[in-house]
Amino acid sequence: MSNVVSGLIVVAIAALVGAAGLLLKVRLFPKREDEESEDVTGYATMMVSVVFALVLGLSLVSVWENKDSAGSHVSAESSSLHEISLLATALLPDDQHRIQDAATTYAHYVVGTEWPAMRAGHEVGEEGWQLLGDLRTAFLSSDFAAPARVAVLSDATTQLSTLADARRGRLEDAERRMPGVLWIGLVLGGLLTAAMTFAYGVEQRFQHLGMVMGLVAMIGFILILIYSLDNPFHRGLGTDPKAFTRYFGG
């Protein structure tokens, strides 16, 4: 059973328990005719608003941390790839061209193929890893006979390891999403918060209507914002491939 289904079941059971408790109280302790009515609308509204704000804050922190992690991995990956391309200039011309071509091919594949897939929430294939393997092979098969080129091999090995780790982190970020249980809290909290405003009476009807419309619009905006940030590579708000295109073109 998924977390979303489990969360919905828990929410439904909690609502039924609350209704049963209220009905039981009314049956066991009926209201007397001389008893003053107590309006609990304000208290209930405050509690719903507080809980909704907590869920909202937790959701925003979750999606923003994912976006920040994705940006860090993309920056590290592109920087390492660019550094490998620069290190190749210290090698023989044939080795240099082979390495730089492999690095450019990898960068163009990431931008042109993997990025659209990550934005759409699709799984990224293994071809990127194969291209990274080709880049590693191109570098390690170069001529390092001269002492000056031995130091380049050590630096390149470090950068290749950093590149692989950053790529692995980027792909993990592309698959990471906010837990479905939080979406239940967001949608339910937004609906309850908006519904609570219907219980209050305002003498100016248009003023009341404007307040309700403004609140619902703000809740809708925040939900759309969280939905957009939930994919750290979303077009517009997500991490873009400029870190790669800056060094290797479009």
Side-chain angles (χ1 to χ4, degrees), residues 110-175:
V110 169
V111 175
T113 302
E114 291 189 342
W115 226 271
M118 292 187 300
R119 281 176 172 170
H122 298 158
E123 184 178 355
V124 175
E126 295 295 325
E127 186 174 351
W129 287 110
Q130 295 174 3
L131 293 176
L132 180 57
D134 294 342
L135 175 61
R136 182 182 289 105
T137 300
F139 216 112
L140 298 181
S141 63
S142 299
D143 182 7
F144 294 99
R149 295 198 289 269
V150 175
V152 174
L153 175 61
S154 177
D155 292 340
T157 302
T158 301
Q159 293 298 333
L160 285 168
S161 178
T162 302
L163 173 60
D165 290 340
R167 171 181 172 80
R168 191 174 296 108
R170 170 173 60 84
L171 297 182
E172 290 176 354
D173 293 330
E175 297 177 355

Side-chain angles (χ1 to χ4, degrees), residues 197-213:
T197 60
F198 301 161
Y200 293 93
V202 179
E203 293 182 359
Q204 298 294 331
R205 180 171 300 180
F206 288 105
Q207 181 181 356
H208 189 190
L209 180 62
M211 292 169 58
V212 173
M213 290 177 61

Side-chain angles (χ1 to χ4, degrees), residues 39-63:
D39 188 4
V40 298
T41 305
Y43 175 77
T45 302
M46 180 188 67
M47 292 301 300
V48 169
S49 301
V50 170
V51 174
F52 179 56
L54 290 174
V55 176
L56 194 62
L58 182 61
S59 301
L60 284 171
V61 170
S62 176
V63 296

Side-chain angles (χ1 to χ4, degrees), residues 1-240:
M1 185 181 298
S2 66
N3 291 334
V4 175
V5 176
S6 301
L8 289 174
I9 292 176
V10 171
V11 169
I13 292 176
L16 291 175
V17 170
L22 177 60
L23 294 175
L24 183 63
K25 184 265 181 187
V26 172
R27 179 176 294 273
L28 295 180
F29 304 99
K31 180 182 176 181
R32 301 190 306 269
E33 294 183 359
D34 58 345
E35 183 179 358
E36 295 183 359
S37 61
E38 182 180 359
D39 188 4
V40 298
T41 305
Y43 175 77
T45 302
M46 180 188 67
M47 292 301 300
V48 169
S49 301
V50 170
V51 174
F52 179 56
L54 290 174
V55 176
L56 194 62
L58 182 61
S59 301
L60 284 171
V61 170
S62 176
V63 296
W64 192 262
E65 285 182 348
N66 290 347
K67 180 180 181 300
D68 186 62
S69 175
S72 298
H73 286 136
V74 169
S75 178
E77 184 180 6
S78 61
S79 296
S80 295
L81 187 63
H82 180 58
E83 186 65 22
I84 291 171
S85 182
L86 293 179
L87 289 172
T89 59
L91 303 178
L92 296 176
D94 290 343
D95 294 333
Q96 174 185 343
H97 294 323
R98 187 171 66 255
I99 293 169
Q100 291 181 338
D101 288 344
T104 301
T105 300
Y106 175 82
H108 288 175
Y109 178 79
V110 169
V111 175
T113 302
E114 291 189 342
W115 226 271
M118 292 187 300
R119 281 176 172 170
H122 298 158
E123 184 178 355
V124 175
E126 295 295 325
E127 186 174 351
W129 287 110
Q130 295 174 3
L131 293 176
L132 180 57
D134 294 342
L135 175 61
R136 182 182 289 105
T137 300
F139 216 112
L140 298 181
S141 63
S142 299
D143 182 7
F144 294 99
R149 295 198 289 269
V150 175
V152 174
L153 175 61
S154 177
D155 292 340
T157 302
T158 301
Q159 293 298 333
L160 285 168
S161 178
T162 302
L163 173 60
D165 290 340
R167 171 181 172 80
R168 191 174 296 108
R170 170 173 60 84
L171 297 182
E172 290 176 354
D173 293 330
E175 297 177 355
R176 189 178 295 119
R177 293 294 184 273
M178 189 176 69
V181 175
L182 286 179
W183 278 113
I184 296 176
L186 285 174
V187 175
L188 183 61
L191 291 175
L192 288 176
T193 301
M196 287 294 184
T197 60
F198 301 161
Y200 293 93
V202 179
E203 293 182 359
Q204 298 294 331
R205 180 171 300 180
F206 288 105
Q207 181 181 356
H208 189 190
L209 180 62
M211 292 169 58
V212 173
M213 290 177 61
L215 177 62
V216 173
M218 182 60 66
I219 292 175
F221 167 77
I222 295 176
L223 292 180
I224 292 175
L225 177 63
I226 294 176
Y227 175 79
S228 299
L229 290 175
D230 191 29
N231 181 353
F233 297 97
H234 186 275
R235 184 184 298 275
L237 296 178
T239 303
D240 55 46

